[in-house]
Amino acid sequence: MDESAIKAFIEETFTWLHSHPELSYEEHETTAQLKKILSKEQIRLLELPLATGAVAEIGDGSKPVIALRADIDALPIEEDMGLSYASRFKGKMHACGHDFHTAAVLGAALLLKEKASSLPGRVRIVFQPAEEAPGGAQKVLETGVLDEAQAIFAIHTSPLLPVGSLGLSPGPVMAAVDSFILRFQGKGCHAAHPDRGVDIIPLIAHFISMAQTIVSRNSNPFAANLLSITRVEAGNTWNVLPETAELDGTARSLTLEDRLLIKDRLYALARGAADAFGASVAIDWHQGPPPTINDAFWTEFVLDTAGKQGFILQEAPKSLGGEDFSYYQEKLPGVFASIGTGLSAPNHSPEFRADPAALLPAAKFLAAIAEGALRKLAT
Ligand code: NI
């Protein structure tokens, strides 16, 4: 396929993907469609134990190996955009632009396929399932398909950046995302006789205020950290002091040190508060993805490539949201770049839209990264 044929093909594929959104781990039609396209284009599909998602390979048997990663899942959101290629599946929508990532990475694969015989190594094209649910990146990593890879690259749609621009910085760009549940246990009693129980309500009121001092008092004021209590549940009527209270929340940080600091302080404050009030507390801490940290060496290379491709370069739009690309970056150096897909409502909104005009430039950019990275590693 020549460039104009690839442009038309990936735009068509993008609209197909957009109209067929599938939730995490349910991406069966998407996977079948991708495999059909890759086979038809004679791009080598790797045999892997993945129920959804796929990995293809371009280039010959020699080293080095690098990887491009797209995520393929959609969100449980009802689309509200009136697009001609709107979601056909009620309550499901590609509201994070994973349809764009998939079509752009597919375009890069088609471009690389044209020059496969001259590539000084192999490019692994990763179509990862379930970025929006826990475990998607780990499923790919567990297959060992990236064991030999020396670098990995991904783009993400940004509705804050116009088409033709790229947001990229070295270092942390997205947060470690942890969540927790606290179960405080007091002693219930008649609301008129608090002296006969251990009242849990003032305890959690104090605790919620105390928890906010972790970010304001314990962490470095120049660091971006966050702690939110997101659910509080206690009691069921007006004349009884409840026995228990349950709190949910989330902690976000950009470094592993801050991640540990927040966890340690939260445990200390919860236990200290429970102790002070004569109650007890059980804590469940769920560790989510680590921070997304862009490798300095490869970030410079990607910025240089983007400049040569005519992108307007901007600082990465930093977010305390999470991204499971960070699991790959724990194993090998990686770069996660925000690509301008035109100003729109935010990701995960029913009115999010990625402009298809950004697709071909994204595909060419990813192909140039893959080829350039192999050349850099081969010399
Ligand atoms: Ni996303």
Side-chain angles (χ1 to χ4, degrees):
M1 271 198 244
D2 66 11
E3 201 176 292
S4 65
I6 290 175
K7 177 177 187 291
F9 182 74
I10 58 176
E11 285 178 6
E12 187 195 356
T13 304
F14 167 70
T15 56
W16 186 91
L17 290 165
H18 190 85
S19 57
H20 296 75
E22 295 177 291
L23 302 183
S24 308
Y25 297 115
E26 296 173 5
E27 311 95 332
H28 294 285
E29 259 194 84
T30 305
T31 301
Q33 181 77 354
L34 289 169
K35 286 185 171 172
K36 196 174 93 186
I37 294 168
L38 293 163
S39 310
K40 185 163 165 278
E41 298 305 321
Q42 294 176 319
I43 294 173
R44 191 157 64 242
L45 267 162
L46 302 179
E47 284 289 333
L48 296 172
L50 289 173
T52 55
V55 182
E57 185 180 67
I58 298 164
D60 68 26
S62 66
K63 285 191 170 183
V65 177
I66 67 103
L68 299 178
R69 175 271 207 168
D71 40 12
I72 64 171
D73 55 330
L75 286 156
I77 293 176
E78 180 69 24
E79 184 167 340
D80 186 18
M81 282 295 288
L83 293 173
S84 60
Y85 53 93
S87 169
R88 293 187 192 176
F89 303 153
K90 192 156 178 48
K92 299 177 189 175
M93 177 189 176
H94 268 295
C96 197
H98 298 187
D99 47 355
F100 183 98
H101 309 158
T102 303
V105 167
L106 183 66
L110 296 172
L111 289 162
L112 290 164
K113 169 72 181 160
E114 295 297 318
K115 47 173 78 172
S117 57
S118 68
L119 289 176
R122 286 173 290 158
V123 183
R124 295 208 153 158
I125 308 286
V126 178
F127 295 103
Q128 179 208 304
E131 193 281 322
E132 303 287 359
Q138 293 98 316
K139 284 230 177 313
V140 172
L141 284 165
E142 280 161 16
T143 66
V145 75
L146 295 175
D147 288 358
E148 295 170 88
Q150 285 173 264
I152 184 163
F153 304 92
I155 52 167
H156 202 290
T157 54
S158 174
L160 299 172
L161 300 174
V163 173
S165 57
L166 188 89
L168 175 59
S169 313
V173 289
M174 292 192 86
V177 177
D178 297 336
S179 63
F180 51 83
I181 304 175
L182 304 172
R183 293 183 182 87
F184 287 96
Q185 172 86 41
K187 186 164 178 279
C189 62
H190 197 295
H193 299 283
D195 53 305
R196 293 179 193 163
V198 174
D199 188 0
I200 216 79
I201 299 289
L203 160 51
I204 61 170
H206 282 285
F207 169 74
I208 291 166
S209 303
M210 288 160 72
Q212 292 310 321
T213 65
I214 299 173
V215 171
S216 70
R217 303 291 85 186
N218 301 134
S219 81
N220 185 321
F222 289 97
N225 290 306
L226 177 149
L227 185 139
S228 292
I229 305 289
T230 55
R231 184 178 68 91
V232 179
E233 209 171 298
N236 54 13
T237 188
W238 66 277
N239 57 358
V240 178
L241 297 178
E243 179 114 353
T244 61
E246 227 176 74
L247 275 66
D248 272 23
T250 182
R252 311 286 169 109
S253 48
L254 292 176
T255 67
L256 296 174
E257 294 73 28
D258 282 347
R259 179 183 222 180
L260 269 181
L261 171 82
I262 295 173
K263 183 180 177 184
D264 284 353
R265 290 299 300 147
L266 186 88
Y267 273 65
L269 292 177
R271 286 174 177 156
D275 200 39
F277 280 76
S280 63
V281 63
I283 307 171
D284 272 341
W285 185 273
H286 302 280
Q287 185 164 296
T292 304
I293 301 175
N294 283 333
D295 178 80
F297 171 82
W298 288 111
T299 297
E300 203 183 304
F301 158 76
V302 172
L303 282 168
D304 184 54
T305 308
K308 286 181 185 147
Q309 295 276 319
F311 280 94
I312 297 159
L313 304 180
Q314 313 223 12
E315 230 181 87
K318 288 198 173 67
S319 164
L320 292 179
E323 164 61 55
D324 75 359
F325 186 73
S326 55
Y327 286 110
Y328 300 112
Q329 293 173 317
E330 280 188 325
K331 307 274 182 216
L332 67 162
V335 177
F336 185 76
S338 293
I339 191 153
T341 44
L343 307 188
S344 100
N347 298 84
H348 294 216
S349 141
E351 293 174 5
F352 169 79
R353 178 178 182 262
D355 189 340
L359 271 173
L360 184 68
K364 289 170 72 174
F365 170 53
L366 287 163
I369 290 172
E371 190 185 355
L374 287 182
R375 296 209 184 285
K376 234 177 168 48
L377 287 164
T379 51

